[in-house]
Structure formats: C-alpha cells, structure tokens
Amino acid sequence: MIRCDACGRKMQAAIRDAIYYRCRASTLTPGSPDRFAVPHRAELAIGVVVAGAAATIDIRSAIGFASFGVLVYSAIANISAAALTAAEGRPIRAIPAVGLTGCLVLAFTLPGPSVLAGAAVVAVGPLIYTARRRPTDSDIT
C-alpha cells in the first residue's frame, strides 16, 4: 500500500512491475477537511454510471452483476491469503480454502446473465492491462 501525497488516501501499487496507481483527487490544500472525502470526479463518475444503469437495466440484474464482481474480488483475496507465508500472518490453510469455495459457489449460483456480464467485465481488466503495459528490459530476450 502506498499513500497519496495529495490527499493521504491509501492505494495499492505493484512496484515490481512499475505500476503505480495515481490518485485522481483534485488538488487539495494541506489540512483541508475534503482530504478525507471521496474525490469529486470519482463521485460524479459513479453517479453517472449508477444513474445510467438504473435508467436502462433491471435493478435485479445490476445487483446480480455487482454481486458477481464482489464475489470474484473476495475469491482473489482468499487466494492471496492462501499465498501468504507464516511470517506474513497467513491464516490457517482451511480458512482461505473455505472462503474461496464459498465465493465460487455463490458466484455461480447467481442468474446466468449476471454471471456472463460479470465475467465479461472481469475479462476486460487483463486485456486493458496487457494493452497499456509497457515492455521492460526483462521482457526482451
């Protein structure tokens, strides 16, 4: 985790691959109470997406789609927890295994269209990552 210098929010960074997640917050003055609020652009973007979804699709489908995304995120977190070493505070091996199993079972018991839409959106992430990734010296053989 890294902390944004502008607003103090915590962000994840994959230093190994030179990927840094930049905070999109507007410039804030030091000590500003807005430092701990949601960035205005993010708030507006989420509002537009939610309003568009509410106006165009069935809310039950949106809930199923969002549930699939949350369950996939939780499954990845359980896989990450299983990969920890004992020195890093790994939980008992059964805990991430049960968590991963529960996430997968719940994710695939959602309505089919929600699973397909969620899987399509999840698949777009690695495609964008691959398209935007800059080759490094280790990639050249």
Side-chain angles (χ1 to χ4, degrees):
M1 298 291 277
I2 60 172
R3 193 173 286 278
C4 176
D5 289 336
C7 67
R9 288 184 185 85
K10 291 181 182 175
M11 299 174 286
Q12 291 184 341
I15 295 171
R16 175 188 55 177
D17 294 328
I19 299 171
Y20 299 97
Y21 299 98
R22 292 168 191 86
C23 182
R24 305 280 188 222
S26 300
T27 303
L28 301 174
T29 57
S32 168
D34 290 336
R35 223 180 105 176
F36 302 105
V38 176
H40 304 295
R41 287 181 234 151
E43 196 170 322
L44 289 172
I46 294 298
V48 168
V49 169
V50 169
T56 59
I57 62 173
D58 180 27
I59 295 299
R60 291 172 293 182
S61 298
I63 292 170
F65 165 77
S67 298
F68 183 83
V70 169
L71 289 165
V72 167
Y73 176 85
S74 297
I76 293 169
N78 280 296
I79 291 169
S80 298
L84 293 172
T85 64
E88 295 172 316
R90 178 189 69 225
I92 300 168
R93 292 270 187 201
I95 292 174
V98 169
L100 175 61
T101 303
C103 288
L104 294 176
V105 168
L106 286 173
F108 290 101
T109 57
L110 292 169
S114 296
V115 172
L116 291 175
V121 169
V122 168
V124 168
L127 293 175
I128 292 173
Y129 171 79
T130 303
R132 292 185 61 189
R133 186 167 183 260
R134 289 178 243 125
T136 61
D137 292 338
S138 62
D139 292 336
I140 301 169
T141 55

